[in-house]
Amino acid sequence: MIDESQEEQIERWVKFIIENPNKWKAEHTKFIDAQFLKSKEFFERLSRTKEGLIILNKLKESRLISK
Amino acid sequence: MVLERKIGDRNILDRFAEDFCDIVDKHCKYIVVSGFVAISHGRTRATEDIDLILEKIDLNTFVSLHNELVGAGFEALQSQHPEILYHKYLIEGISIRYVRKGEMLPEMEVKLAKDILDDMQIKTRVKMPLTGLDIYFSSIEMNIAFKEELLKSDKDILDAKHLRLIYSKEINENKINEIKKLIKTLRLKEIKKND
């Protein structure tokens, strides 16, 4: 269910994109990259624990992630 | 409208998509569809994969494509054998997921064109200068129609809204409605039949 605030966020952000053609992409890149960096950092932390290695191996065995 | 981007602005998804599509382009026609279309137009939301549709290719073409992808550091998660990937997955309508070797994300979700709607998407594919990316996308009208008529999740509806706002002056509403009619005929009937 989409609420009004989500639609307004889209409108605000698109307005920012249109009004700031030189700024928006750097902000966007930081946002997109942060998701992948956080995920990578998490799996690195997980891999340094004993249980984490077991979990990662299970994921790899199930071919859900890259070996 | 000018959405300026510089090479240094490339994010992880952009680099992944361009590196992958550069190789695919040498072997066959393709389109990037769905979420990444909205994200590459500035939509701020998470995704772990990019959806890519290949024109219908034969096994030999797929084998050479796959081998070049592997040589460039990509790997398919389901199998190392292109014959298995082709017959067990692509031909059966199941996506293959590629990642950069040793990395978990992002993934490229690859499938073959499955009907005339996909063929039409490939035939009308475009490069979109506003994205700053040198890759082929299905048209904005196609993406909006699929998101509003078929996919319909909250994130899809918001993706469509984002694209509508970005392209508010250029969008061809008649074209969107025509595509929606085709989706109803070709995809929604198929879904009902399988229920």
Side-chain angles (χ1 to χ4, degrees):
Chain A
M1 186 76 177
I2 297 169
D3 70 34
E4 208 175 298
S5 71
Q6 288 173 292
E7 298 216 50
E8 285 168 0
Q9 188 275 333
I10 300 266
E11 286 160 17
R12 269 197 311 276
W13 176 244
V14 172
K15 188 168 179 281
F16 179 82
I17 290 176
I18 292 166
E19 291 176 356
N20 297 274
N22 298 316
K23 282 188 193 167
W24 75 272
K25 183 56 188 160
E27 295 295 315
H28 187 255
T29 292
K30 271 192 274 179
F31 173 82
I32 297 291
D33 285 354
Q35 299 165 57
F36 294 102
L37 297 174
K38 289 299 284 181
S39 169
K40 197 175 176 186
E41 284 166 10
F42 169 77
F43 282 112
E44 278 170 3
R45 277 199 304 278
L46 188 66
S47 71
R48 288 197 291 271
T49 66
K50 196 179 170 188
E51 284 182 4
L53 280 176
I54 296 166
I55 294 167
L56 281 170
N57 280 334
K58 279 184 184 168
L59 286 170
K60 286 173 182 173
E61 280 162 17
S62 67
R63 308 297 293 167
L64 288 175
I65 56 172
S66 172
K67 279 193 175 174
Chain B
M1 189 202 326
V2 181
L3 305 183
E4 285 187 18
R5 297 171 63 146
K6 301 181 283 289
I7 294 294
D9 285 339
R10 293 280 193 275
N11 62 46
I12 288 170
L13 283 174
D14 294 338
R15 291 194 297 271
F16 180 72
E18 284 199 319
D19 291 350
F20 197 93
C21 292
D22 276 354
I23 294 170
V24 177
D25 198 40
K26 290 189 237 168
H27 298 267
C28 62
K29 288 183 182 166
Y30 72 90
I31 42 169
V32 169
V33 300
S34 205
F36 186 61
V37 181
I39 291 169
S40 60
H41 283 88
R43 170 100 153 94
T44 48
R45 74 160 172 87
T47 190
E48 56 192 21
D49 55 29
I50 296 173
D51 298 296
L52 187 132
I53 300 175
L54 305 176
E55 67 177 326
K56 285 170 196 140
I57 51 175
D58 59 22
L59 174 63
N60 288 342
T61 308
F62 176 70
V63 170
S64 35
L65 165 60
H66 174 82
N67 288 341
E68 189 171 349
L69 287 168
V70 170
F74 293 98
E75 69 172 342
L77 293 177
Q78 291 101 325
S79 172
Q80 295 174 348
H81 306 289
E83 293 81 7
I84 292 175
L85 291 168
Y86 186 80
H87 290 297
K88 195 174 162 192
Y89 292 89
L90 287 182
I91 291 296
E92 294 299 319
I94 303 169
S95 303
I96 304 172
R97 292 177 169 269
Y98 284 92
V99 291
R100 289 195 202 270
K101 195 166 173 52
E103 294 187 12
M104 288 183 271
L105 294 170
E107 296 179 358
M108 187 65 78
E109 189 181 334
V110 178
K111 56 187 168 188
L112 287 185
K114 69 172 186 179
D115 57 19
I116 58 163
L117 203 48
D118 282 344
D119 294 342
M120 193 196 291
Q121 290 202 83
I122 290 172
K123 201 175 171 189
T124 57
R125 68 184 187 156
V126 283
K127 288 189 176 172
M128 295 179 175
L130 291 184
T131 67
L133 298 173
D134 189 23
I135 61 180
Y136 285 103
F137 295 93
S138 61
S139 71
I140 287 300
E141 284 85 359
M142 281 282 184
N143 278 286
I144 290 172
F146 269 90
K147 284 180 174 295
E148 290 179 346
E149 191 66 37
L150 184 68
L151 302 170
K152 289 185 172 176
S153 73
D154 286 0
K155 78 172 160 45
D156 292 303
I157 297 298
L158 292 171
D159 282 353
K161 181 182 174 83
H162 179 92
L163 292 172
R164 280 184 176 279
L165 289 170
I166 292 286
Y167 286 101
S168 57
K169 288 176 187 152
E170 294 98 329
I171 281 173
N172 182 334
E173 207 62 46
N174 289 336
K175 211 187 268 183
I176 292 175
N177 290 331
E178 285 302 313
I179 299 163
K180 284 184 175 179
K181 277 184 203 163
L182 275 174
I183 290 171
K184 276 181 194 155
T185 312
L186 292 166
R187 298 287 173 91
L188 294 176
K189 273 187 185 165
E190 188 191 342
I191 290 169
K192 275 182 192 161
K193 207 165 65 185
N194 293 334
D195 278 348

